[in-house]
């Protein structure tokens, strides 16, 4: 499992492992209203050869999904990305990364 935080207006690379099965990783960041979020899951080097990821952008309430991508990244045919989703209000937001199947690992 992995957790991390990025600074608003900055780029960050964070590492996480969606393992064991049913694991979910959360990454938090602060953003201002009208900022845009760009995030991608890189599963190209996934040891399980099953890098089918799901990426969710979650609102400040910790549960409302603002954007979801179950699989279409640029790093692998099954990896996820979010490109340019606008932030509605200033606050702390979350990126949730998980495997597409509850029994899968990345």
């Amino acid at each position: 499992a992995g957790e991390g935080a990025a600074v608003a207006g900055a780029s960050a690379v964070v590492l996480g492992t969606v393992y064991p099965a049913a694991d979910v990783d959360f990454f938090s960041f602060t953003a201002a209203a009208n900022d845009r979020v760009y995030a991608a899951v890189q599963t190209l080097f996934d040891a399980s050869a099953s890098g089918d990821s799901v990426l969710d952008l979650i609102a400040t309430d910790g549960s409302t999904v603002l954007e979801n991508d179950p699989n279409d990244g640029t790093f692998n045919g099954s990896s996820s990305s979010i490109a340019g989703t606008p932030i509605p209000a200033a606050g702390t937001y979350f990126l949730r990364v998980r495997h597409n199947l509850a029994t899968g690992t990345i």
Side-chain angles (χ1 to χ4, degrees):
E3 293 183 19
V7 177
S11 295
V13 175
V14 292
L15 300 176
T17 303
V18 178
Y19 182 86
D23 185 33
V24 178
D25 286 3
F26 288 86
F27 303 91
S28 66
F29 63 96
T30 56
N34 300 316
D35 279 354
R36 293 193 174 268
V37 176
Y38 296 85
V41 177
Q42 203 274 37
T43 62
L44 184 62
F45 302 109
D46 175 35
S48 74
S50 174
D52 194 356
S53 62
V54 177
L55 177 62
D56 299 307
L57 172 60
I58 300 175
T60 58
D61 66 5
S63 61
T64 302
V65 176
L66 299 175
E67 183 77 26
N68 166 271
D69 188 346
N71 102 24
D72 78 348
T74 58
F75 297 106
N76 172 317
S78 294
S79 59
S80 308
S81 63
I82 290 174
T85 302
I87 294 295
T92 299
Y93 290 81
F94 306 91
L95 291 168
R96 175 174 59 197
V97 180
R98 56 196 162 95
H99 193 279
N100 192 41
L101 301 173
T103 57
T105 62
I106 303 173

